[in-house]
């Protein structure tokens, strides 16, 4: 056994061995036995075996002792944040529970195919598993060898996404139940950000820490202007600077730091990018849209003692700064701040120039945090509706609908949109029926639309009970003899230059005549009568490509597409290995893929 020396003055392994040679193990002091049993080479099986030797060793390895605590922390280091430092608990019980949860989670994720994963998550909850143990096992799956177990990781990621979103929805509901004066627009915006990006590490504390750093920069700038300014003494919230000239100095320093020093700006060139609405991305990219920049600006001003109010101005979110004693509602008693326009201060009349038409006084009123969130989520919802109908835009639409209906659960228009979206995607039919029942209770005039969806959703549920067998495509049949390529091959598009992997094929184009005309398929030398391939593209899109436009990639590479794991279990250096489900549909393709790779790279 190798010599190990403890840098803290504890006995080395050689000393321990020497002791063991002169006395029985059980004669050693408890502290020394614990030290021996905490060596990293010993695993949980070893500790179980040792504890079965005799009563003395069984007592040393008791559940609340140091030995099992060490084993638990060694195996699951991510879980340490759930325990207080030096907390005494039954580590053996915790170990057994976490171990059992790991086996159940792994088994469940492996069992998922195309079934909607929320059904599986519901079954996990019904087993009474501690949620943080579930999440830890899912993260363990995701952190394993990145080229292997791709299908396992694909569904583990989906389950983790769902679990975190459910937690965030619960937090949002709790947030909305607070009195309006206790709700923070920043905290609400962070919850929106978290829900749309549940796998990102976004917390209120981390966002607040970044804003505190900006506030300190503002204070340094303010010190140049007025070394005795009261905002320089602010250490916690609640303090308000009353003097208007002192407030003006704060806003001057804030504009200098935010827009000149840190180069924040409104994103005019990519306005409808959803990243502009996510607070952590606004802080990272230093750009956003009026509402996200206004939330940051208002929060920073508040940290420095200046109270600003959000204004739901049409097409351009603003902040207002009162110039008269509090309580005034005269729109001309306010200066309006355009955070999107580098903090420019506007009169009520100048606000109308921003949008090119007059508005009534109601549009200059301050709004509460709930209304701020509805405007923010409404922006995301509109982006999702304008999307290209791909997986990414559908996910954004789903997420923003979930958020909007959590804040405003009785909006019939969006309830109907949610039901139609789920119906279109063919997912969660039981949830669709619940939504439709709620719509009918809120607005009986929607009977026609509701009745149509109810009928077809019931048909979908019935179909799920007796699913059709997947279509099997054999390469050996005569009508498929023109199909040159196979699933799993890494390809390059000859015209567009993109890299992709094949996950399906048809002997001839199966798209509509409208699609064929729009994509100018008739201009191809073999037109629509040649094989076409379903491909996952490196840029995250899914495309349908003609055989004459594809060629095997000369230097095969991994395709960074979020759906790769849905079809493939492994990246094998030169090609992808189809998972069990894809192999069932294309049973002869893997041999063809291997033959193609061998002919391209003979060794």
């Amino acid at each position: 056994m190798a010599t190990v020396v403890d840098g803290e003055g504890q006995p080395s392994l050689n000393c321990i061995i020497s002791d063991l040679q002169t006395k029985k193990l059980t004669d050693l002091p408890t502290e020394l036995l614990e030290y021996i049993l905490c060596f990293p080479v010993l695993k949980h099986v070893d500790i179980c075996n040792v504890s079965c030797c005799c009563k003395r060793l069984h007592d040393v390895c008791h559940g609340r002792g140091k030995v099992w605590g060490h084993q638990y922390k060694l195996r699951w280091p991510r879980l340490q944040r759930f325990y207080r430092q030096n907390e005494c608990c039954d580590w053996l019980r915790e170990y057994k529970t976490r171990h059992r949860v790991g086996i159940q989670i792994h088994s469940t994720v492996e069992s998922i195919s195309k079934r909607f994963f929320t059904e599986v998550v519901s079954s996990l909850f019904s087993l009474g598993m501690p949620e943080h143990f579930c999440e830890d096992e899912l993260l363990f799956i995701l952190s394993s060898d990145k080229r292997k177990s791709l299908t396992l990781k694909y569904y583990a990621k989906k389950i983790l996404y769902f679990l975190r979103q459910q937690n965030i929805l619960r937090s949002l509901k709790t947030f909305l139940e607070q009195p309006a004066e206790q709700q923070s627009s920043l905290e609400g915006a962070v919850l929106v950000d978290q829900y749309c990006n549940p796998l990102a590490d976004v917390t209120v504390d981390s966002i607040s820490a970044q804003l505190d750093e900006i506030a300190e920069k503002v204070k340094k700038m303010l010190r140049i202007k007025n070394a005795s300014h009261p905002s320089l003494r602010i250490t916690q919230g609640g303090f308000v600077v009353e003097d208007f000239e002192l407030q003006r100095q704060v806003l001057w320093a804030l504009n200098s730091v935010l827009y000149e020093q840190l180069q924040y700006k409104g994103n005019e060139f990519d306005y409808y990018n959803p990243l502009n609405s996510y607070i952590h991305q606004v802080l990272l990219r230093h750009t956003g849209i009026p509402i996200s920049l206004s939330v940051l600006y208002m929060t920073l001003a508040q940290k420095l003692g200046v109270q600003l109010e959000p204004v739901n101005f049409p097409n351009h979110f603003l902040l207002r700064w009162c110039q008269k004693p509090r309580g005034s509602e005269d729109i001309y008693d306010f200066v309006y701040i355009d955070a999107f326009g580098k903090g420019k201060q506007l009169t009520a009349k100048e606000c109308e120039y921003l949008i090119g038409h007059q508005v009534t006084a109601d549009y200059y009123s301050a709004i509460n945090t709930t209304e701020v969130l509805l405007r923010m989520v409404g922006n995301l919802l509109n982006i999702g509706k304008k999307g290209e109908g791909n997986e990414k835009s559908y996910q954004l639409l789903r997420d923003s609908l979930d958020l909007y209906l959590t804040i405003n659960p009785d909006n019939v228009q969006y309830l109907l949109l949610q039901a139609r979206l789920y119906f279109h995607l063919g997912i969660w039919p039981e949830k669709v029926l619940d939504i439709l029942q709620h719509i009918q209770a809120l607005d009986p005039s929607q009977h026609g639309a509701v009745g149509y969806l109810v009928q077809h959703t019931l048909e979908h549920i019935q179909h799920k009970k007796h699913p059709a067998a997947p279509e099997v495509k054999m390469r050996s049949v005569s009508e498929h003899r023109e199909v040159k390529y196979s699933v799993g091959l890494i390809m390059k598009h000859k015209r567009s230059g993109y890299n992709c992997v094949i996950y399906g094929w048809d002997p001839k184009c199966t798209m509509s005549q409208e699609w064929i005309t729009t994509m100018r398929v008739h201009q191809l030398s073999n037109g629509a009568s040649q094989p076409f391939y379903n491909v996952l593209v490196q840029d995250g899109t899914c495309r349908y490509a003609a055989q004459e436009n594809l060629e095997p990639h000369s230097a095969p590479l991994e395709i960074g597409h979020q759906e790769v794991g849905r079809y493939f279990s492994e990246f094998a250096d030169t090609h992808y290995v189809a998972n069990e489900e894809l192999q069932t549909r294309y049973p002869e393709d893997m041999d063809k893929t291997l033959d193609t790779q061998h002919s391209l790279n003979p060794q």
Side-chain angles (χ1 to χ4, degrees), residues 25 80 97 153 179 226 295 312 350 431 447 561 595 601:
L25 181 66
Q80 295 319 297
T97 304
K153 290 176 187 170
N226 182 351
V295 169
N312 204 15
E350 287 172 329
K431 173 75 171 176
H447 178 75
H561 194 289
D595 289 344
N601 303 286

Side-chain angles (χ1 to χ4, degrees), residues 63-66 69-70 72-73 79-91:
R64 293 183 176 275
K66 182 178 179 181
H70 173 77
Y72 185 86
K73 293 166 187 174
L79 291 173
Q80 295 319 297
R81 62 193 177 92
F82 293 99
Y83 303 95
R84 294 187 302 274
Q85 191 172 8
N86 299 321
E87 179 178 359
C88 180
C89 70
D90 192 332
W91 293 111

Side-chain angles (χ1 to χ4, degrees), residues 373-387:
L373 297 187
L374 283 175
R375 172 85 175 245
M376 183 172 277
V377 173
N379 288 339
L380 289 169
L381 217 160
N382 288 330
I383 295 170
K385 285 194 286 188
K386 290 175 184 175

Side-chain angles (χ1 to χ4, degrees), residues 2 6 8 14 74 85 148 154 186 201 281 304 320 332 346-347 359 369 401 507 529 555:
D6 191 321
E8 296 181 356
N14 277 349
L74 197 65
Q85 191 172 8
K148 297 185 182 297
Y154 175 77
L186 180 69
D201 186 18
Q281 288 288 348
L304 296 161
R320 71 178 194 179
Y332 297 104
L346 309 167
T347 65
V359 295
T369 299
L401 277 170
S529 297

Side-chain angles (χ1 to χ4, degrees), residues 13-294:
L13 193 56
N14 277 349
C15 294
I16 294 168
I17 293 170
S18 177
D19 269 348
L20 294 179
Q21 291 171 342
T22 58
K23 61 171 71 174
K24 290 193 301 183
L25 181 66
T26 52
D27 290 338
L28 297 175
T30 299
E31 184 180 351
L32 187 53
L33 282 172
E34 287 178 337
Y35 178 82
I36 295 169
L37 295 173
C38 286
F39 266 76
V41 294
L42 298 176
K43 304 303 179 188
H44 68 282
V45 175
D46 301 312
I47 303 304
C48 288
N49 290 335
V50 167
S51 65
C52 293
C53 290
C54 64
K55 185 178 186 305
R56 167 78 170 126
L57 292 176
H58 183 271
D59 291 343
V60 172
C61 299
H62 67 90
R64 293 183 176 275
K66 182 178 179 181
V67 176
W68 277 110
H70 173 77
Q71 283 291 324
Y72 185 86
K73 293 166 187 174
L74 197 65
R75 186 166 176 186
W76 297 296
R78 276 191 298 261
L79 291 173
Q80 295 319 297
R81 62 193 177 92
F82 293 99
Y83 303 95
R84 294 187 302 274
Q85 191 172 8
N86 299 321
E87 179 178 359
C88 180
C89 70
D90 192 332
W91 293 111
L92 178 56
R93 185 181 63 189
E94 293 287 287
Y95 193 102
K96 287 178 178 178
T97 304
R98 172 62 183 85
H99 183 71
R100 185 179 69 252
V101 167
I103 293 171
Q104 290 175 311
I105 290 287
H106 213 90
S107 173
T108 301
V109 177
E110 283 181 333
S111 72
I112 304 174
S113 58
K114 291 184 71 175
R115 289 180 299 150
F116 187 50
F117 63 92
T118 49
E119 297 169 6
V120 177
V121 176
S122 299
S123 71
L124 292 179
F125 283 136
S126 68
L127 294 172
M129 296 183 183
E131 202 167 304
H132 61 291
F133 285 179
C134 294
E135 179 167 318
D136 189 64
E137 181 62 27
L138 293 168
L139 288 169
F140 174 77
I141 292 171
L142 291 172
S143 64
S144 58
D145 187 342
K146 71 172 190 172
R147 292 188 168 195
K148 297 185 182 297
S149 304
L150 300 181
T151 301
L152 190 69
K153 290 176 187 170
Y154 175 77
Y155 289 108
K157 188 174 181 179
K158 278 187 168 293
I159 293 174
L160 182 61
Y161 196 101
F162 181 84
L163 281 175
R164 287 190 173 177
Q165 282 195 325
Q166 296 312 297
N167 279 333
I168 297 161
L169 276 189
R170 287 194 287 271
S171 297
L172 178 58
K173 288 173 183 175
T174 302
F175 173 82
L176 294 169
E177 288 168 359
Q178 295 176 351
E181 63 274 9
Q182 293 180 17
Q183 294 175 357
S184 152
S185 292
L186 180 69
E187 185 179 347
V190 170
L191 286 166
V192 170
D193 187 343
Q194 289 174 327
Y195 192 79
C196 294
N197 303 283
L199 302 182
D201 186 18
V202 181
T203 64
V204 173
D205 288 344
S206 65
I207 298 297
S208 294
Q210 291 179 70
L211 292 183
D212 285 341
E213 289 179 10
I214 298 174
E216 286 303 313
K217 293 179 188 295
V218 176
K219 285 183 179 181
K220 286 182 181 179
M221 181 65 70
L222 189 57
R223 192 172 284 109
I224 297 171
K225 187 85 170 177
N226 182 351
S228 61
H229 196 288
S231 292
L232 299 175
R233 299 190 296 274
I234 295 177
T235 56
Q236 56 187 11
F239 178 83
V240 177
V241 175
E242 297 291 349
D243 183 83
F244 291 130
E245 179 53 34
L246 294 176
Q247 290 182 21
R248 193 180 308 280
Q249 291 174 8
V250 169
L251 298 182
W252 166 83
L254 178 53
N255 285 349
S256 296
V257 169
L258 207 57
Y259 301 112
E260 295 174 21
Q261 185 177 331
L262 299 178
Q263 295 288 298
Y264 276 78
K265 60 182 182 297
N267 195 339
E268 297 179 7
F269 301 104
D270 193 15
Y271 191 88
Y272 295 103
N273 187 330
L275 298 183
N276 294 324
S277 294
Y278 305 143
I279 292 298
H280 85 281
Q281 288 288 348
V282 174
L283 286 166
L284 179 67
R285 300 159 72 236
H286 289 207
T287 187
I289 53 176
I291 190 166
S292 56
L293 290 170
S294 291

